[in-house]
């Protein structure tokens, strides 16, 4: 319970200080000073002026009440014009002192000095402090000249300092506190701006990473589109070759059924490759779930005699490129050769050597299989991306495709 009361009191104090700092209580403060000054006048509380009024006016208390009212009205503008308000209130306070002085007028003068210390410009504050200090010194000198004792001089100086310099000390402390609060607020704003900039930078980095990933996916899709030609063309070429072989001879049920089974298997393989590739090309953000392209270990699935049986272990880039070159080479062997091709894979210190060899037919087929004439170009392009080479052509009675791929493409000069 006590903790809750303290929290509410602290919150109320903070709200009151915030209201005072914003100027929302200036009129209420002026009205409070007016009421307090009138009460003090009515009670005839002693003021700060001479004991006997210098100006002999009828009903001096009413005159003092009027001066207090004017001073309070002027005090409302203390935040906007602190120096002008101080000069006006000082003139009214001097006139009030000639009438005997009122404690309420001194409180108004105290508030005007406080306003200068809090809201005045640095040069104005220094000037007013100099004038007030000079006035205190002048009062002490005047008392000494009038024959006052040292005790009276010290008492006068202490009283004048307490009355007219205390507002400056208090106001200076309030001003420094407000400046510190504004500085802390500005620092908090800067921290928030830095945090916002950091979040914006992180968002930009994420967007750039997403764009890079999208670009990489698009590049991979273009490469896979080129792979589509190799995979599908190989299977369709096998289909066409088996169909051509079945049509070249006379009717033979066993041979024709074997050719149809081969045609069916090749067509199904072509459809499987095309379906998988289309799924890859249609994949969006889930492209990472697509299996990796086949590597060198898949050459044993090609329609060729592979040697040696334990294939060498190479990097993924070299293995994938070697598989695609071997696949296209086997396709070319079926297009331009006769019989089952032989595929040889070997490595030396720095290079993977791939060779596809098959016998050439003695007489060209009457109806050659159509070709897109892009297979050899594609093989050379694939090898060139790794710094390798591909050669293809007849050697005696055989058609030979040779590829040389560096085992470490990073060490190949650009």
């Amino acid at each position: 319970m006590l903790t809750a009361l303290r929290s509410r009191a602290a919150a109320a104090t903070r709200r009151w200080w915030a209201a005072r700092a914003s100027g929302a209580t200036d009129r209420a403060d002026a009205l409070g000073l007016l009421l307090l000054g009138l009460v003090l006048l009515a009670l005839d509380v002693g003021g700060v002026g001479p004991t006997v009024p210098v100006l002999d006016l009828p009903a001096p208390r009413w005159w003092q009440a009027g001066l207090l009212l004017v001073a309070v009205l002027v005090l409302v503008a203390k935040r906007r014009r602190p120096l002008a308000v101080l000069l006006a209130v000082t003139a009214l306070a001097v006139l009030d002192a000639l009438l005997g002085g009122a404690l309420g007028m001194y409180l108004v003068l105290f508030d005007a000095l406080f306003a200068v210390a809090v809201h005045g410009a640095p040069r104005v504050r220094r000037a007013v402090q100099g004038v007030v200090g000079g006035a205190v010194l002048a009062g002490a000198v005047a008392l000494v000249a009038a024959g006052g004792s040292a005790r009276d001089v010290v008492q006068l100086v202490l009283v004048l300092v307490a009355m007219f310099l205390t507002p400056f000390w208090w106001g200076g402390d309030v001003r420094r506190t407000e400046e510190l609060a504004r500085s802390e607020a500005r620092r908090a704003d800067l921290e928030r701006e830095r945090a916002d900039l950091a979040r914006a930078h992180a968002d930009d980095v994420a967007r750039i990473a997403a764009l890079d990933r999208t670009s990489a996916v698009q590049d991979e899709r273009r490469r896979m589109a080129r792979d589509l030609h190799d995979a599908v063309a190989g299977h369709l070429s096998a289909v066409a070759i088996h169909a051509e072989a079945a049509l070249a001879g006379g009717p033979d049920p066993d041979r024709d059924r074997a050719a149809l089974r081969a045609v069916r298997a090749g067509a199904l393989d072509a459809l499987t490759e095309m379906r998988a590739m289309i799924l890859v090309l249609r994949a969006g953000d889930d492209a990472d779930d697509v299996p990796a392209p086949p590597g060198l270990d898949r050459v044993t699935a090609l329609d060729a005699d592979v040697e040696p049986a334990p294939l060498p272990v190479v990097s993924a880039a070299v293995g994938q490129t070697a598989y695609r070159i071997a696949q296209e080479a086997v396709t070319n062997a079926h297009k331009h050769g006769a019989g089952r091709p032989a595929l040889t894979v070997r490595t030396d210190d720095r290079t993977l050597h791939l060779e596809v060899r098959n016998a050439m037919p003695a007489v060209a087929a009457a109806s050659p299989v159509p070709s897109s004439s892009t297979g050899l170009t594609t093989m050379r392009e694939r090898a060139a991306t790794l710094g390798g080479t591909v050669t293809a052509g007849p050697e005696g009675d055989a058609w030979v495709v040779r590829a040389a791929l560096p085992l470490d493409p990073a060490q190949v000069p650009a």
Side-chain angles (χ1 to χ4, degrees):
M1 183 67 179
L2 183 59
T3 303
L5 290 175
R6 288 177 178 176
S7 299
R8 285 195 291 269
T13 303
R14 286 194 297 269
R15 288 194 297 270
W16 181 76
W17 273 109
R20 287 189 59 84
S22 64
T25 63
D26 288 352
R27 294 183 180 180
D29 293 343
L31 180 59
L33 287 175
L34 175 61
L35 295 177
L36 179 60
L38 293 176
V39 169
L40 293 174
L41 283 174
L43 296 177
D44 196 17
V45 176
V48 294
T51 306
V52 179
V54 176
L55 297 178
D56 187 11
L57 295 177
R61 293 298 184 188
W62 289 107
W63 285 99
Q64 288 179 300
L67 293 176
L68 179 62
L69 177 60
V70 174
V72 166
L73 294 176
V74 172
L75 192 63
V76 175
K78 64 181 179 181
R79 193 177 298 271
R80 297 187 303 273
R81 298 287 188 272
L83 180 60
V85 169
L86 177 61
L87 294 176
V89 170
T90 300
L92 293 172
V94 170
L95 184 58
D96 180 79
L98 296 177
L99 293 174
L103 186 58
M105 181 62 73
Y106 166 72
L107 295 177
V108 174
L109 179 60
F110 187 99
D111 198 8
L113 290 169
F114 178 84
V116 170
V118 175
H119 306 296
R123 185 169 57 184
V124 172
R125 292 198 302 268
R126 289 192 297 267
V128 173
Q129 282 180 317
V131 172
V132 173
V136 172
L137 183 59
V141 171
L143 183 57
V144 171
S149 64
R151 176 183 177 183
D152 294 336
V153 172
V154 172
Q155 288 180 344
L156 177 64
V157 169
L158 292 177
V159 170
L160 293 178
V161 167
M163 292 178 59
F164 299 109
L165 290 181
T166 299
F168 278 101
W169 294 335
W170 184 19
D173 183 67
V174 171
R175 186 186 69 257
R176 286 188 293 272
T177 302
E178 292 179 351
E179 290 175 352
L180 180 61
R182 286 193 294 267
S183 177
E184 291 293 334
R186 286 194 296 268
R187 187 170 67 179
D189 292 339
L190 289 176
E191 291 296 332
R192 284 193 294 269
E193 291 178 1
R194 290 194 187 98
D196 293 340
L197 289 175
R199 284 192 294 269
H201 177 70
D203 294 340
D204 292 340
V205 170
R207 283 193 293 270
I208 291 173
L211 290 175
D212 291 342
R213 185 176 182 278
T214 301
S215 177
V217 170
Q218 291 174 350
D219 292 340
E220 182 63 22
R221 288 177 183 175
R222 283 193 291 268
R223 287 192 294 270
M224 289 180 177
R226 188 169 62 181
D227 292 343
L228 178 62
H229 165 266
D230 300 339
V232 177
H235 293 301
L236 293 181
S237 295
V239 169
I241 290 171
H242 287 295
E244 184 67 24
L247 294 174
D252 185 342
D254 294 337
R255 185 193 64 192
D256 292 344
R257 290 186 65 82
L260 289 174
R261 283 195 294 271
V263 167
R264 180 179 181 277
L268 290 176
D269 290 340
L271 288 174
T272 300
E273 290 277 359
M274 185 175 294
R275 185 180 300 110
M277 197 64 66
I278 289 175
L279 289 175
V280 170
L281 294 176
R282 286 181 176 178
D285 295 334
D286 298 331
D288 294 337
D289 299 333
V290 179
L296 185 61
D297 57 336
R298 291 284 301 277
V299 298
T300 56
L302 298 175
D303 190 11
D305 296 327
V306 182
E307 296 179 1
L311 296 171
V313 178
V314 296
S315 65
V318 175
Q320 292 169 13
T321 303
Y323 172 80
R324 292 307 184 189
I325 292 176
Q327 185 183 46
E328 183 65 28
V330 170
T331 299
N332 287 342
H334 285 297
K335 285 183 180 180
H336 304 293
R340 187 176 176 85
L343 192 155
T344 304
V345 181
R346 64 182 179 85
T347 60
D348 55 24
D349 293 339
R350 297 184 178 180
T351 308
L352 170 71
H353 298 278
L354 184 72
E355 180 181 288
V356 178
R357 178 185 294 268
N358 65 285
M360 295 180 63
V363 179
S367 301
V369 177
S371 174
S372 62
S373 301
T374 61
L376 185 56
T377 301
T378 300
M379 287 191 292
R380 287 172 175 164
E381 289 178 353
R382 289 184 182 280
T385 57
L386 298 181
T389 59
V390 170
T391 60
E395 292 185 4
D397 59 350
W399 180 270
V400 182
V401 177
R402 291 190 179 92
L405 303 176
L407 294 176
D408 189 0
Q411 296 183 358
V412 177

